Every structure is written in structure tokens, then in C-alpha cells.
Amino acid sequence: TLGAFVFFEENAPQYIEVSKYLCKQSEYVIADTLAHELTHYYLYSLHKDFQDTSIEFIALLIKFGISPSKSCFFINRKLLI
């Protein structure tokens, strides 16, 4: 994995963790990975379902052209696997 939104419980600090491998990627992959993880955090902060399979999460990824995972990318809002 290139990055992960890490949470434990409601009152504990949340954070985004990135791998050393991510730092060796292009600016596009770094920005896309951070945008993906920030989308998790955004929904979490609104007390909404922030899992990868959440309809709201997927809708936001499509809306902003963010990749759903490290193995999938959007180009001009079209999903490439």
C-alpha cells in the first residue's frame, strides 16, 4: 500500500501514513494517493461511511478524479484498471 488513513477510536488522534515507496513515485501518484486518503478523512470527520466500498466515498473519488486504489487510476474521469 502507498498510504493509509489510520484511526483507532473516536477521541484518539487520526493520521495518514505513507510508505517509503510513495516518496519515489511521480508527483501525480503522490498527490493522488494523498487525495484518496484525505477523502477517507473528510468522510470520517463528517461521521459518514469512509470505507473504500462506501457509495459516498466512491462518488467523491469519481467527482474529483481520484484513484480508488493503488492499482486503478482515473484519466479524464474514466476508470483505468
Side-chain angles (χ1 to χ4, degrees):
T1 182
L2 296 176
F5 170 58
V6 181
F7 64 97
F8 295 102
E9 46 187 71
E10 190 67 31
N11 297 325
Q14 314 329 307
Y15 59 93
I16 292 173
E17 184 174 86
V18 296
S19 71
K20 290 180 186 179
Y21 180 71
L22 178 64
C23 299
K24 297 177 182 177
Q25 302 304 306
S26 69
E27 289 178 5
Y28 172 80
V29 172
I30 293 169
D32 187 66
T33 300
L34 291 175
H36 177 102
E37 300 310 330
L38 284 168
T39 303
H40 283 296
Y41 176 76
Y42 171 73
L43 290 171
Y44 172 85
S45 71
L46 296 175
H47 303 285
K48 296 186 176 188
D49 186 357
F50 58 91
Q51 302 300 319
D52 281 320
T53 56
S54 157
I55 297 297
E56 264 186 294
F57 180 77
I58 294 167
L60 285 173
L61 297 183
I62 292 169
K63 179 178 180 178
F64 294 109
I66 301 167
S67 297
S69 74
K70 66 182 180 195
S71 61
C72 305
F73 292 95
F74 283 107
I75 304 290
N76 296 325
R77 296 186 181 206
K78 293 182 181 176
L79 178 62
L80 303 176
I81 298 176

